[in-house]
Amino acid sequence: MAKIIDGKQISMDVKMQVKAEVEALKKQGVSVCLAVVIVGNDPASRVYVNNKKKACELVCIESREYALPEETTEEELLALVRKLNEDSTVNGILVQLPVPKQIDDHKIIAAIDPRKDVDAFTEGCVGKIMIGEYDFLPCTPAGCMDLIHSTGVPVSGKQAVVIGRSNIVGKPMAMLLLHESATVTICHSRTQNLKEICRGADILVAAVGKAKMVTADMVKPGAVVIDVGMNRDENGKLCGDVDFDAVQEVAGYLTPVPGGVGPMTIATLMRNTVTAAKVQNGLENSK
Ligand code: GUN
């Protein structure tokens, strides 16, 4: 029976560390501020943004919300991003994705000052992650690494399989595992023999967005299984990419949904925002 990895608890530990850092910075006269931009009425985005704001409150980071209407133009959103780039009281800028279809998200991300890019989505940040020299951790993959570390299972030399090749999760996840000397395979919708490849994984990360697609016969007994998915099952209940009940019987360690990766993503965002404030105030060397 798998041990359940408690993302809520581990994220709380990270947030308490961040809070202590924010308080220490305040004593040095440095305040920390995150600008959160949401465009339109996507209900899931609204929940995510509210959770990010709540986390800011908990760790004593100021959050400023910019909620723009669904019909916002690309030019209007670009103008806001440029204004926030110029505002020296703003340390981090987060534009919640997805944005409405009339707006090109690549253009918006490219407009964010890389020194304020606490999502680590800009080309410069992605490039730094690739070479292993970065200020800002990619939020979800870094959260997954914290969860893997919490098991005490060493990553070096292990077979790691990432299912999903998105820019936000799959690709940077593979990089972080590689930086820790795992042997990494990235699988995706065209992968042949997916089941066999997954069964070889000591560490399996599912980031596909397909409810319960990782079944028990895809998991090596004793493996560490990290579920990044956030889906609804046939009854409308929140579930991950992993068939939790069945995989629990096979895996060594498993993250739940909710209460696994989700809270860790936000904890890393808080950590990145403090790093941004430090770098911008000359308290930490930019790499
Ligand atoms: N939408 C889904 N995940 C994320 C994230 O980590 N950051 C932003 N900005 N938007 C998202």
Side-chain angles (χ1 to χ4, degrees):
M1 198 74 167
K3 288 198 180 122
I4 305 307
I5 305 174
D6 187 350
K8 263 194 187 164
Q9 182 58 53
I10 299 164
S11 72
M12 190 51 80
D13 296 345
V14 174
K15 283 188 278 194
M16 288 303 106
Q17 281 168 17
V18 170
K19 184 177 183 192
E21 282 192 61
V22 173
E23 281 165 354
L25 285 171
K26 281 213 174 113
K27 287 200 181 116
Q28 299 178 64
V30 175
S31 56
V32 185
C33 173
L34 174 66
V36 181
V37 182
I38 176 167
V39 188
N41 312 310
D42 183 61
S45 290
R46 179 31 73 194
V47 173
Y48 294 142
V49 164
N50 287 348
N51 288 341
K52 288 169 187 178
K53 282 167 61 185
K54 266 190 235 161
C56 282
E57 224 169 275
L58 181 72
V59 304
C60 304
I61 290 176
E62 181 195 346
S63 70
R64 287 188 206 155
E65 180 179 309
Y66 298 83
L68 304 183
E70 184 76 32
E71 60 276 12
T72 300
T73 65
E74 190 172 277
E75 209 33 67
E76 284 166 337
L77 184 54
L78 282 171
L80 174 59
V81 169
R82 290 187 194 117
K83 192 179 95 173
L84 296 171
N85 283 342
E86 297 297 316
D87 185 341
S88 63
T89 65
V90 169
N91 305 108
I93 302 170
L94 180 142
V95 179
Q96 186 66 28
L97 301 178
V99 285
K101 56 185 180 317
Q102 72 274 17
I103 299 173
D104 179 349
D105 54 2
H106 295 287
K107 272 196 201 159
I108 303 302
I109 291 167
I112 297 172
D113 182 337
R115 295 175 318 143
K116 297 189 177 186
D117 175 24
V118 285
D119 265 322
F121 285 173
T122 54
E123 287 174 8
C125 283
V126 173
K128 284 182 166 190
I129 290 162
M130 189 89 174
I131 58 173
E133 293 230 348
Y134 39 83
D135 292 318
F136 299 133
L137 300 153
C139 293
T140 299
C144 293
M145 291 308 295
D146 284 343
L147 295 176
I148 293 166
H149 294 149
S150 79
T151 66
V153 172
V155 175
S156 178
K158 293 289 165 59
Q159 296 287 339
V161 172
V162 178
I163 321 176
R165 54 175 156 177
S166 69
N167 289 331
I168 295 183
V169 184
K171 287 185 213 168
M173 184 75 230
M175 278 305 135
L176 297 195
L177 287 162
L178 184 61
H179 291 327
E180 294 196 18
S181 304
T183 301
V184 186
T185 305
I186 305 177
C187 297
H188 46 78
S189 54
R190 302 284 175 89
T191 297
Q192 295 179 0
N193 306 324
L194 180 66
K195 189 184 351 182
E196 285 68 28
I197 295 169
C198 290
R199 273 189 75 86
D202 303 301
I203 299 165
L204 180 62
V205 180
V208 189
K210 230 169 140 187
K212 301 182 188 181
M213 64 89 64
V214 175
T215 47
D217 57 349
M218 294 166 72
V219 175
K220 180 175 178 175
V224 178
V225 180
I226 306 291
D227 189 351
V228 184
M230 185 66 85
N231 317 296
R232 298 267 168 197
D233 70 9
E234 58 283 3
N235 303 314
K237 194 169 160 255
L238 212 54
C239 72
D241 290 348
V242 175
D243 183 351
F244 184 89
D245 292 338
V247 169
Q248 194 178 12
E249 304 290 329
V250 184
Y253 301 86
L254 175 60
T255 64
V257 177
V261 173
M264 295 304 299
T265 299
I266 296 182
T268 309
L269 175 69
M270 299 297 107
R271 202 193 264 162
N272 283 348
T273 307
V274 172
T275 301
K278 283 187 186 168
V279 170
Q280 287 158 29
N281 284 281
L283 297 169
E284 197 161 281
N285 287 336
S286 182
K287 282 173 219 142

